[in-house]
Amino acid sequence: MLEREEVVSKRPDDGAFYQQRLPAWKPIINIHSTVPVFGVLGIFLVPIGLLLITTAGSVKEIRLDYSECGDCATKPYNVECECSVDFNLDTKFSGSQVMMYYGLERYYQNHRKYATSRSDYQLRGNPLNPDDNCEPYESDLDSSKVFAPCGLIANSMFNDTFKLEWLSQTHKNGSELPMHKQINFTQEGIAWNSDHGNKFKNPAGNDLKASFNGTVKPPSWSKAPYELDPANPSNNAFLNEPFIVWMRVAAFPTFRKLYSRILMELNPELTNGLESGSYRLTVSYRYPVLYYQSKKFFVLSTTSIFGAKNLMIGIVYLVVGALLLILATAFAFIAKKDLHNFLGQ
């Protein structure tokens, strides 16, 4: 006679952990416990908001719309054109560095098809290995070679370049001293540290050009990726910092991205910032915007201890903190009224 098979029970062990009998503490949220929490948070957030707004207000910046600079806007985008815009700084832009930005309006980098059109594996140092996300800019139909870098984002990289000249300095008495000095700037250090060398890497080896054999540059590029910065060999291909900045897509249709930094050590004639006076911005106009009714602009800006000018963060802190204080006051009044009613019974 066959022995009955032992039935395996699925019942958990009769322990405190398995039967959920461990001691626990569950906070009871009521109006009396909410008042001090809201009050402390409000007292903490309001001064931070005021500090952020104050520091943001101390940041100086000037914005120049150069969408219709000279007659360059009417020429084909692949035709080299140079134009200039003169402007004045009424006050000194003080600081150890002054930031240069370029900006675009009505440019939807947040479109899903656009934002996903890239190959992160390729950008980590594998130029011969794009993926299907890059379509329709994965490979060249004529040569069957892959695009490096591939995708819509890389192909549409912003390629206007700028020169800044200091024409004259304005003194306090209103007189002007002719200067005619070129302002030097650097594009080193404009990309996030988490991107440069981590998400973006060049192929291994000393011959960068040979690493891109079997690839072609994106159709809209005028230079091969290994020729982006002839003056700085380490700032080429996937480690080119303006390229890395462009590849971090913007969340809103109007945005600006860091172009370069004006450092005082690169300009001995400057003393802790850009002096008030007349300046000339010379633009190598290449990037087309008018045909899709967009605009592009150039921004000069100082910085604060919290970075670039951003009033919104300070306003959010201030509004949330003030709202918490109002709620804490209202709840305290209700709690006091309830206490009086209880004692009066």
Side-chain angles (χ1 to χ4, degrees), residues 120-148:
D120 291 325
Y121 180 73
Q122 183 192 54
L123 296 173
R124 287 195 294 268
N126 305 284
L128 295 173
N129 300 100
D131 57 42
D132 295 339
N133 288 334
C134 291
E135 287 292 349
Y137 291 103
E138 180 180 359
S139 60
D140 182 41
L141 297 178
D142 296 329
S143 63
S144 298
K145 294 182 178 180
V146 300
F147 289 123

Side-chain angles (χ1 to χ4, degrees), residues 47-75:
I48 293 180
L50 292 174
L51 177 62
L52 290 172
I53 292 175
T54 302
T55 55
S58 66
V59 173
K60 299 182 178 69
E61 69 175 40
I62 184 171
R63 169 174 160 160
L64 304 173
D65 186 336
Y66 69 97
S67 306
E68 301 182 21
C69 180
D71 60 349
C72 292
T74 59
K75 295 185 178 180

Side-chain angles (χ1 to χ4, degrees), residues 125-269:
N126 305 284
L128 295 173
N129 300 100
D131 57 42
D132 295 339
N133 288 334
C134 291
E135 287 292 349
Y137 291 103
E138 180 180 359
S139 60
D140 182 41
L141 297 178
D142 296 329
S143 63
S144 298
K145 294 182 178 180
V146 300
F147 289 123
C150 69
L152 288 167
I153 309 176
N155 184 62
S156 60
M157 179 180 171
F158 187 84
N159 57 355
D160 284 0
T161 56
F162 306 105
K163 296 178 183 177
L164 189 61
E165 183 183 1
W166 185 15
L167 299 179
S168 64
Q169 180 179 2
T170 303
H171 294 291
K172 294 182 179 180
N173 58 8
S175 62
E176 293 192 358
L177 176 66
M179 302 301 294
H180 296 287
K181 293 183 179 294
Q182 199 73 27
I183 301 297
N184 300 313
F185 49 81
T186 179
Q187 292 185 320
E188 294 184 9
I190 63 173
W192 289 19
N193 292 330
S194 58
D195 291 343
H196 192 273
N198 294 307
K199 296 180 181 179
F200 296 82
K201 299 179 182 179
N202 277 340
N206 297 323
D207 193 345
L208 190 58
K209 182 178 180 179
S211 301
F212 281 83
N213 288 338
T215 68
V216 292
K217 63 180 178 61
S220 297
W221 285 29
S222 60
K223 298 179 181 179
Y226 46 82
E227 298 174 337
L228 293 177
D229 191 352
N232 186 0
S234 63
N235 190 38
N236 282 295
F238 300 150
L239 285 180
N240 179 259
E241 297 205 38
F243 169 70
I244 296 174
V245 170
W246 177 256
M247 292 297 290
R248 181 170 284 275
V249 296
F252 300 102
T254 297
F255 61 87
R256 65 185 188 185
K257 294 178 181 282
L258 187 57
Y259 177 78
S260 64
R261 300 183 300 144
I262 301 174
L263 302 179
M264 297 305 104
E265 54 263 31
L266 300 178
N267 300 276
E269 66 278 3

